Amino acid sequence: MGPDEEVILYAIYWFAAIGISLLTIFILSREVLKRWRLNYRLENNDETLLNDSSVKIEVVTSAPKGSSFVDSVPAFLIDNSE
């Protein structure tokens, strides 16, 4: 292998390393931002969370006695202000 081939190979390795690093940083920052936005929306009682398809409720912290959890059923806001 000649010196030119080694330089090209090192350049390819560096581009691959930089690409993988940038992809990792992008994925991590996207997840951090997504969690921060969700916490912000929860703290502000954002009612649009009920209809948001990107949010999946896995843990129910409070429900009436006898309630059951069913997957993939959307929640609907019931307005009792009548």
Side-chain angles (χ1 to χ4, degrees):
M1 186 181 302
D4 291 338
E5 293 172 343
E6 287 182 14
V7 170
I8 292 171
L9 208 53
Y10 284 132
I12 291 171
Y13 290 157
W14 274 106
F15 281 123
I18 291 170
I20 291 170
S21 298
L22 290 175
L23 181 64
T24 304
I25 290 169
F26 172 74
I27 291 171
L28 288 174
S29 61
R30 187 179 66 178
E31 286 298 316
V32 168
L33 184 63
K34 186 167 73 170
R35 289 170 190 258
W36 176 81
R37 284 182 180 162
L38 179 60
N39 286 333
Y40 179 77
R41 290 172 72 186
L42 285 170
E43 288 172 358
N44 291 306
N45 297 325
D46 186 2
E47 292 180 5
T48 60
L49 283 169
L50 295 172
N51 300 323
D52 194 345
S53 63
S54 66
V55 177
K56 181 178 178 187
I57 300 171
E58 293 183 358
V59 178
V60 177
T61 57
S62 177
K65 188 174 183 174
S67 298
S68 62
F69 183 76
V70 180
D71 286 338
S72 302
V73 175
F76 296 103
L77 180 63
I78 300 173
D79 189 13
N80 291 332
S81 63
E82 297 174 1

